[in-house]
Amino acid sequence: MNSRLITLALGTFTIGIDAFVTAGLVTPVSKDLGVSTSAAGQLVTVFALSYAILSPVLATATARLSRKRVLLIALSLFVLGNVVTALAGAFGLVLASRVIAAAGASMYTPNATAVAAALTAPERRGRAISVVIGGLTVATALGVPIGSWIGGSFSWRATLWLVAALGAVALISVAAIVPAVHLPAPARLRDRLMPLRDTTIATGLLHAVLLFGGMFTVYTYLAAAMHPATGDSTGRFTILLWVYGFTAVVGSTLGGRLVDRLGSRKIMPFTLIGAIVVLALVQASGQHFPTAIAWCIAFGIPGWIWAVAQQHRLVELSPQGSPLLLGLNASAQYFGIALGGAAGGLGVQWWGAGSLGWIGAILVVVSLGLLTLSFHDSARGTAGAAADIALTRAEAA
């Protein structure tokens, strides 16, 4: 496999661990820093919200730089943020350092994907992109359980040091292996946000916010939701994360095949219905360890199939403007992660962990309604025009 792609995937793997492992560190962080479980869960919210907001802003600020330079700046910020998190003794400083790490992550992932496509022949670009994005999936399957086990068995700070070390390796590798690449991109924030003027795209992205919000209402506080089944056993909870992670890989692979065979329009409503059912069953399933394992298997399937179908649909809506749409989709997903962290925190504080599944399910029900509305709008045949106009302006500049 191309060493450049492996290098870029190492970066997304590291960022994936940092983005998702916090859900497994909520309990250790809350005990060490003397804050509530719901407060510790806001580490997920702060990281995700910062990523979502900063991604288009920083992309605009770095539009005229070579993509290699942007990747190096991104990884430098990411490593710095994690080092500060690992050293911080106050909860406020931990939250602030999550903003720094998120700034780096928001710059790295979309640019790594774009560079992978630019360095690969057209007939192999899909596979190149899948390798880079696969770093996030592998992080879910391998890195997150390992990081959570380290955090529970030793210290949550040790997990952050591991992430910082991996980020430093990725930084050195990018500097040594990835060539300088210049790509056309809108230099104005207004142009980057222009696709949101298209009602089909705006509705489709909003449904993504709510779907991720529903899923991460539970995932962020999974340790609390599964506590009856795991007790205080770090090993049992790590097993659940392993099961979910490997199922996510299966779901992602299955999603690609289903979308190629049936199309994203037929797949997406069923993934949301499946997510609603799974979320509604989390409390009942979390009472015993065998049923908790079965629930984690089911939890890993619909969301990852949806992720493939969503990106496929956005490319279909606007092939020319797909780079902008995929960037906005990433922001939408992280807005959803932030929403889930906040909604789950309120649920745990007000009604207890038993409320998480129903809160998540309600958010996904609304998401399903918005998806249906988005499908209705796209039938008119006008979707994607705003994205095409924005990218044309970038190329002209």
Side-chain angles (χ1 to χ4, degrees), residues 10-388:
L10 174 61
T12 56
F13 171 75
T14 305
I15 286 170
I17 296 176
D18 196 41
F20 301 129
V21 77
T22 312
L25 302 178
V26 167
T27 299
V29 169
S30 66
K31 290 180 179 179
D32 183 40
L33 298 180
V35 298
S36 67
T37 299
S38 60
Q42 299 318 300
L43 294 176
V44 176
T45 303
V46 169
F47 183 94
L49 190 60
S50 300
Y51 186 113
I53 293 173
L54 292 174
S55 182
V57 174
L58 294 176
T60 301
T62 59
R64 301 193 184 280
L65 299 178
S66 75
R67 295 305 91 188
K68 177 175 182 176
R69 179 171 295 183
V70 174
L71 292 175
L72 294 176
I73 294 172
L75 288 172
S76 298
L77 285 173
F78 178 78
V79 171
L80 174 63
N82 279 282
V83 168
V84 174
T85 303
L87 293 173
F91 186 62
L93 183 56
V94 171
L95 290 175
S97 67
R98 293 290 78 204
V99 176
I100 299 173
S106 71
M107 295 169 65
Y108 183 86
T109 303
N111 281 291
T113 305
V115 169
L119 295 176
T120 309
E123 65 273 14
R124 299 183 63 86
R125 281 178 182 166
R127 278 167 285 187
I129 293 172
S130 70
V131 170
V132 176
I133 297 301
L136 296 174
T137 309
V138 175
T140 305
L142 299 176
V144 171
I146 292 173
S148 297
W149 178 79
I150 291 173
S153 300
F154 300 97
S155 167
W156 64 272
R157 298 179 190 275
T159 301
L160 274 298
W161 282 117
L162 172 64
V163 171
L166 289 173
V169 173
L171 174 63
I172 295 170
S173 300
V174 169
I177 296 174
V178 177
V181 176
H182 290 271
L183 298 173
R188 297 186 301 176
L189 182 60
R190 182 176 64 182
D191 290 338
R192 287 185 174 274
L193 299 179
M194 183 177 289
L196 298 179
R197 295 170 57 184
D198 187 311
T199 56
T200 300
I201 292 171
T203 307
L205 294 176
L206 183 57
H207 113 268
V209 172
L210 291 169
L211 173 61
F212 265 69
M215 301 295 278
F216 273 80
T217 294
V218 172
Y219 184 77
T220 303
Y221 300 95
L222 189 60
M226 292 294 165
H227 187 266
T230 61
D232 293 321
S233 172
T234 299
R236 283 196 166 197
F237 184 62
T238 301
I239 290 173
L240 295 183
L241 291 177
W242 277 105
V243 170
Y244 168 76
F246 280 108
T247 306
V249 175
V250 174
S252 180
T253 304
L254 179 62
R257 295 181 179 180
L258 288 175
V259 168
D260 284 341
R261 179 177 297 180
L262 302 175
S264 56
R265 189 183 182 96
K266 291 183 179 179
I267 295 297
M268 294 178 74
F270 290 101
T271 61
L272 267 64
I273 293 170
I276 293 168
V277 173
V278 172
L279 289 169
L281 292 175
V282 63
Q283 183 180 12
S285 303
Q287 301 303 309
H288 306 283
F289 193 62
T291 55
I293 291 177
W295 183 89
C296 285
I297 293 173
F299 187 52
I301 295 293
W304 286 94
I305 294 178
W306 171 90
V308 176
Q310 169 79 343
Q311 294 187 61
H312 184 272
R313 180 176 183 241
L314 291 174
V315 173
E316 282 187 324
L317 288 176
S318 175
Q320 183 182 3
S322 60
L324 291 179
L325 295 185
L326 294 177
L328 290 173
N329 184 60
S331 287
Q333 292 174 4
Y334 276 90
F335 270 122
I337 294 172
L339 172 63
L346 292 175
V348 169
Q349 184 175 358
W350 291 349
W351 304 296
S355 68
L356 294 171
W358 291 108
I359 295 172
I362 290 170
L363 289 173
V364 181
V365 167
V366 179
S367 175
L368 179 59
L370 288 172
L371 177 65
T372 303
L373 180 61
S374 176
F375 281 163
H376 176 75
D377 288 341
S378 66
R380 301 174 185 174
T382 60
D388 292 340

